[in-house]
Structure formats: structure tokens, C-alpha cells
Amino acid sequence: MFRRAVPAALAAVVLALSLLTTTSASADTVRPAATGALADITFPAGVSRLSGIDRYETAIAVAKKYASGTDAVFVATGANFPDALSAAAAAARLGAPLLLTPGSALPAAVRTEIARLNPATIFIAGSEGAVSAAVERALATIAPVERLGGASRYETGDALVRRAFPAATHAFIATGRTFPDALAATGAAGASSAPVILVDGNLNALPAQTRDLLTALGVSAVTVVGGTGAVSAGIAAELANTYDVQRLGGAGRFDTAALINDSFFAPGSAAAAFLATGQNFPDALAGAALAGRTKSPVYVTNAGCVPESAHRSLQRLGAPSTVALGGAAVVSAQAAANMGCLTAGVPTISGTARVTGSLTANVGTWTSGTSFQYQWLANGSPLSGATGRTLTLTAAHAGKQISVRVTGSLSGYVTASVLSGRTAAVSYPPRTTPIDSWNCPSWAPIKGNIGEKEKIYHLPGGRYYSATNPEECFRTEAAAQSAGYRRSKL
């Protein structure tokens, strides 16, 4: 029996789930599956954070959002992501928290939290190879335990979906090889009461097990999550023969998550948005179950800033609360505040690296509206006062390689700096103009004088050198001779 009355909206679910038998009970025992804690879960306006000192403590921090007396708790290994990914969607469907454990022993803190939750049923996600019999025995001292596992991540996912979903008209299909796409789908799946079904996305055909599951659920529409590199074109094509198929896949994990949330959450429809690292899975898994439970979108992010597609999607969504999953090392305060990552181009340098010449910084492609600052460097060291887009080269730059650092700024985004490659070492030109009426620069001291009949060059120390008004200055005699000048006889 459930611990409390459930709302009418869940009555059909309770009735349907009550017909399912448990794997740990005797063959003729029938016990209802859990429907989850029904107490309201709210989040403070602005940014809040659910985190602990490690993945297990973070999952505990998430679980504390649930009231004591839940109908169920899901437990999965924290050492790998597939079982917990499947469990997150199932837990979201049943309104249950998800906690993580090492495979071999149940941490005392996790046991204490499960005891506080006081569940009617504990579901273990995965086989004994993932969560040991010793952990199962420890859990059984708290509440009845039901293990949902198979010989592979896909069989475990199948068992979890069948237990949590008596029926579904819509399903998400995601790769089980990586975690971000399925993780991002969990919030949308929770909002639409749909399962997230993992497949080996590298296969060219839909596995028979997945086809049977979709048929058993009564699915009519499928959302394929990720591009063809995540879930093959062959699988999508086979699905399209039977189901109404939509593929949501971007250029990467961040874009895919934004596409999912843009498709399933209208502006103003979500009370909260969850933000998790897209680089690692542990902190996000328990949070995904809570996101699904509260019908909230899940976004993945870089640690220091939110990738541009997700940044814009979060702005569009306009959720009053943002919940960061994990510590500041994985989701920084800037990321939690939806400070975007600027799309930053790689700067290049045009012009000739030669004294008296000039170099110009070309910024590349950046987020529209970005403003720029420049810092030129010689052999990697900043040049004092060289902060314009163009740098005029002098003898001080000769023999040095020049680069430029472009810094982009835009309101709402984290400032970004990108360094260009280096030029060749700055060289001297063979000839140049005088610095005034009488003098040539020190690096091109040979004076070239254009007379009425011929062109003559004068070397420093020559008899008429100081009295000559040069029209041109040369670095070497060879350069002067190449320009049609002859050497002065005196």
C-alpha cells in the first residue's frame, strides 16, 4: 500500500503500476510500484546550488528536496553513468529521488538519507556487477528492495522503463555510449511523461529489444536525441517506418540540449532550469531525476560560462529559478548566472612584418555585438602602448616575432581573450625615406642623392656625407646599387 493518498491525476498510473510484479518478491506476490513523493518541491528565486563534497554527497543534497515518506527511492552506481541515466527518467516518472552508491558498499551518509526518506520501496538500478549484493542487503534493512537490472546497460534500461512506465505514447531515444544527450532529455521527458530509452547509437539498425519495448508501451511518436554521430541514420530511418520521428541534434552536446529544451518548454513554462556540467556525469544524474520530477529543463554547460546556444535558450525560457548541480569547480557562479561563452574567432595578422610597415589585427568571427581591445606582443611580451588594431613597425621590433591578443566583451557574456599566431621575425626593408632633410635612420645610413645627371650614394664618413640631402636611404650598398645609384668617389 502507498503511504498517502495520491492525486486523481495519478490514479490511473497507480492502478496500472499496481499490476506489475516485483523481481525480488515471490512469484505469486504482487506489489505496486512507487509513484513518488507528492509534496511540493520549490526553488528560491535566482540562483541556488545543490552540491556536496563528492558525487554521493551531491546526490544527497538533491534528495533532501524530497519530503520524508516517499513511495520510492532509486539507487544506482556512481561509478558509471548508464544505469543512473535510465534510473533518472524512471525516478522522474515516479516522483522518486535518485541516490548514488559505490558498487561494493553503501556509504553511511547515503544510508542515513534513505532512512530519512523512509521509502515504501527501494529500486536498485543495475545488476550485482554494478550494485553488489552487499549493498542490496544493507538497503533491505531500510525498506523492501527490488532490483531492476540486466546483462547490459540496455537491458537494465529496458527493465527500468517497463517498471516505471505502464504505457507511453511518446519516447526519447538517446545513445547509451555517452551521457549528455540522455541527461538533457530527462527534463523534457519528465515534462511529457515519456521514457528515455538508451540504445547503442553506433548500430545501423534498431535493436529488437528496443522495438519490442516501444510496442509494449504503445509509443506512437519518437524523439531521437543527438545527431547521426550519436544515434545513427539507420536507427532513425527504421524508427520512421513505424513512428512519427523527430530528431533533435545540434553541433555538440550543448546545442543538442538547447534544441531539446526549446522544443519542449515554452517561454515562462518552467519554474526552474537545471544547469549541470557537460564534461562529467556524476553531479548531474541525481539532479536530472529532480528536474524531471519538477518538469524542469536540464542544460549542460562549461564550467566557466554557458555555451552560446544554451545561454540564449535560458534567456528565452525565462525561468525564475536556476539550480546549479555540483560545486563551483564544475558550474561556476558566472555559469550559474547564465553568463554566456562568447563565440570567439581566432585572430590573424595581415601586413608585412618589416620595419616601416604596419600590421593589422583581424578578429575572426565572434558573437554579434562584441567589442574588442587589442594588445600587441613581441616574442610573447606585451608592447607598451601598442593597443590599437594596427601596429606600425619600427627598428625596435626588428628580429622579433609579432602576435596580437584580441579581447572581446559583450554584456551578458564572460570576456574572452584569444591570442593570434606569430609573424615571421620582423626584417628591415632594403631602402626607406629620410627621417628629415639631412638624416637617414641609423639602420639605413647610406644616403642616396639624385643629381641632375645621375644618382649617387654616400657612405657614412665620406667627404660629402654630412653635406648631402638624401632623397632615399639604403641599408646596404647592394641595395643602393640595385636601385641604380653609384658610389660617391669622395
Side-chain angles (χ1 to χ4, degrees), residues 334-356:
Q334 288 179 307
N338 194 26
M339 291 291 287
C341 302
L342 282 172
T343 297
V346 177
T348 58
I349 297 173
S350 59
T352 303
R354 182 177 292 170
V355 173
T356 72

Side-chain angles (χ1 to χ4, degrees), residues 392-416:
T392 299
L393 297 172
T394 69
H397 304 125
K400 298 175 181 178
Q401 294 177 309
I402 305 300
S403 56
V404 65
R405 178 177 292 110
V406 176
T407 299
S409 302
L410 180 62
S411 178
Y413 290 79
V414 175
T415 297

Side-chain angles (χ1 to χ4, degrees), residues 6-428:
V6 297
L10 291 179
V13 176
V14 174
L15 177 61
L17 290 174
S18 68
L19 299 177
L20 299 173
T21 60
T22 66
T23 56
S24 60
S26 62
D28 57 354
T29 299
V30 177
R31 177 163 49 79
T35 55
L38 300 173
D40 288 339
I41 297 174
T42 60
F43 303 98
V47 175
S48 59
R49 189 180 294 275
L50 295 173
S51 67
I53 60 173
D54 58 25
R55 62 192 65 185
Y56 307 108
E57 293 285 348
T58 293
I60 289 171
V62 174
K64 288 187 181 298
K65 298 295 290 186
Y66 294 78
S68 177
T70 64
D71 289 320
V73 165
F74 282 74
V75 177
T77 176
N80 205 352
F81 64 86
D83 294 347
L85 265 183
S86 295
R93 177 68 178 86
L94 302 181
L98 168 64
L99 285 149
L100 304 179
T101 180
S104 58
L106 185 70
V110 177
R111 188 192 190 289
T112 297
E113 177 56 19
I114 296 175
R116 182 197 70 80
L117 290 165
N118 191 23
T121 306
I122 300 172
F123 292 105
I124 295 177
S127 66
E128 290 187 5
V131 179
S132 68
V135 172
E136 182 174 358
R137 288 192 294 271
L139 292 170
T141 65
I142 305 171
V145 175
E146 180 177 344
R147 185 184 289 274
L148 300 170
S152 69
R153 62 188 62 184
Y154 307 109
E155 289 186 10
T156 293
D158 184 290
L160 285 159
V161 170
R162 288 179 184 273
R163 193 71 173 98
F165 293 84
T169 58
H170 178 217
F172 290 81
I173 300 291
T175 180
R177 287 179 169 265
T178 57
F179 73 93
D181 292 348
L183 174 71
T186 303
S192 55
S193 298
V196 177
I197 300 172
L198 303 184
V199 298
D200 183 347
N202 285 0
L203 297 177
N204 289 321
L206 187 69
Q209 172 182 298
T210 306
R211 189 183 309 110
D212 292 344
L213 176 58
L214 293 170
T215 300
L217 292 173
V219 168
S220 59
V222 171
T223 297
V224 176
V225 180
T228 54
V231 178
S232 72
I235 289 177
E238 187 172 341
L239 286 166
N241 291 331
T242 307
Y243 307 100
D244 180 9
V245 174
Q246 171 192 36
R247 183 189 286 273
L248 295 175
R253 59 191 62 186
F254 308 112
D255 299 325
T256 293
L259 282 172
I260 293 168
N261 293 326
D262 285 345
S263 296
F264 286 90
F265 294 93
S269 65
F274 284 69
L275 206 55
T277 175
Q279 308 303 327
N280 206 355
F281 65 87
D283 290 340
L285 294 174
L290 180 59
R293 164 68 178 83
T294 57
K295 303 185 185 304
S296 303
V298 178
Y299 291 87
V300 289
T301 181
N302 290 321
C305 56
V306 179
E308 190 164 351
S309 57
H311 168 74
R312 294 188 183 278
S313 179
L314 279 162
Q315 285 183 323
R316 180 198 62 83
L317 181 70
S321 296
T322 298
V323 182
L325 299 172
V330 293
V331 180
S332 68
Q334 288 179 307
N338 194 26
M339 291 291 287
C341 302
L342 282 172
T343 297
V346 177
T348 58
I349 297 173
S350 59
T352 303
R354 182 177 292 170
V355 173
T356 72
S358 64
L359 302 175
T360 299
N362 306 300
V363 299
T365 302
W366 289 64
T367 302
S368 178
T370 302
S371 60
F372 303 103
Q373 293 180 315
Y374 306 89
Q375 174 61 65
W376 292 92
L377 304 95
N379 288 349
S381 298
L383 292 169
S384 178
T387 56
R389 186 184 174 202
T390 299
L391 175 68
T392 299
L393 297 172
T394 69
H397 304 125
K400 298 175 181 178
Q401 294 177 309
I402 305 300
S403 56
V404 65
R405 178 177 292 110
V406 176
T407 299
S409 302
L410 180 62
S411 178
Y413 290 79
V414 175
T415 297
S417 292
V418 187
L419 184 64
S420 74
R422 296 185 179 189
T423 67
V426 175
S427 62
Y428 286 103

